[in-house]
């Protein structure tokens, strides 16, 4: 995200996530569709919240516990949730088949690069070591296993 670019030392790209609006019973396929809703839920203090704020959304409701997304829908607190398709799909593992049938994942409206980042003034030696360690983890298959564990199959 451009507004955060100068705040960190960006070490190595980890993966690309697709972001979309998730809703019940109807697709929300664009920012324009989302603007018409009463309330859009986001995970508090994340790039998802910043993204909608920077686009001028006023119907944002931020929550600190995204594990309760389904309860927010059922309680009519939100009309849609904005975030990573992969993260949301992973969170669906604990809900009933009846609830799962109602969920509609809209078309991706944004892709977001996930990076390993550190403090802005991180030493070049530490960055070099982290790059080396990341390359090793990729070669050994560790990164792919972690991604699959936490986000499901991204391919």
């Amino acid at each position: 995200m451009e507004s955060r670019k100068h705040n960190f030392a960006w070490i190595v790209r980890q993966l690309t996530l697709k972001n979309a609006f998730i809703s019940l019973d109807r697709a929300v396929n664009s920012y324009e569709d989302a603007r018409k809703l009463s309330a859009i839920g986001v995970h508090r203090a994340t790039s998802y919240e910043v993204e909608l704020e920077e686009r001028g959304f006023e119907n944002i409701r931020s929550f600190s516990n995204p594990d309760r997304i389904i309860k927010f829908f059922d309680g009519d607190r939100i009309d849609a949730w904005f975030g990573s398709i992969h993260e949301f799909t992973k969170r669906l593992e604990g809900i009933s088949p009846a609830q799962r049938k109602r969920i509609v994942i809209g078309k991706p409206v944004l892709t977001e690069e996930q990076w390993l980042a550190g403090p802005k003034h991180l030493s070049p030696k530490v960055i070099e070591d982290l790059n080396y360690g990341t390359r090793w983890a990729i070669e050994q298959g560790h990164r792919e296993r972690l991604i699959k564990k936490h986000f499901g199959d991204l391919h």
Side-chain angles (χ1 to χ4, degrees), residues 22-25 67-75 88 91-104:
I22 294 96
S23 57
L24 297 182
D25 303 320
D67 290 329
R68 299 176 49 97
I69 295 170
I70 298 302
K71 292 186 187 321
F72 300 147
F73 281 124
D74 287 343
F88 187 80
R91 291 183 192 284
L92 290 180
E93 292 177 352
I95 70 167
S96 73
Q99 287 176 313
R100 191 181 304 250
K101 285 181 184 177
R102 295 185 58 208
I103 294 170
V104 179

Side-chain angles (χ1 to χ4, degrees), residues 3-4 12 14 25 31 34-36 58 61-62 85 87 100 106 110 114 124 138 146 155:
S3 63
R4 299 173 60 197
V12 64
Q14 296 295 319
D25 303 320
Y31 292 114
R35 285 185 198 286
K36 299 173 189 171
E58 296 180 3
R61 305 293 178 268
S62 63
I85 293 171
E87 179 183 355
R100 191 181 304 250
L110 177 73
Q114 299 292 301
I138 292 167
L146 284 170
H155 307 292

Side-chain angles (χ1 to χ4, degrees), residues 54-89:
E54 287 181 352
R55 290 181 176 271
F57 276 78
E58 296 180 3
N59 55 347
I60 303 168
R61 305 293 178 268
S62 63
F63 298 95
S64 59
N65 186 354
D67 290 329
R68 299 176 49 97
I69 295 170
I70 298 302
K71 292 186 187 321
F72 300 147
F73 281 124
D74 287 343
D76 290 328
R77 294 177 71 188
I78 61 173
D79 299 309
W81 183 267
F82 181 65
S84 163
I85 293 171
H86 312 294
E87 179 183 355
F88 187 80
T89 302

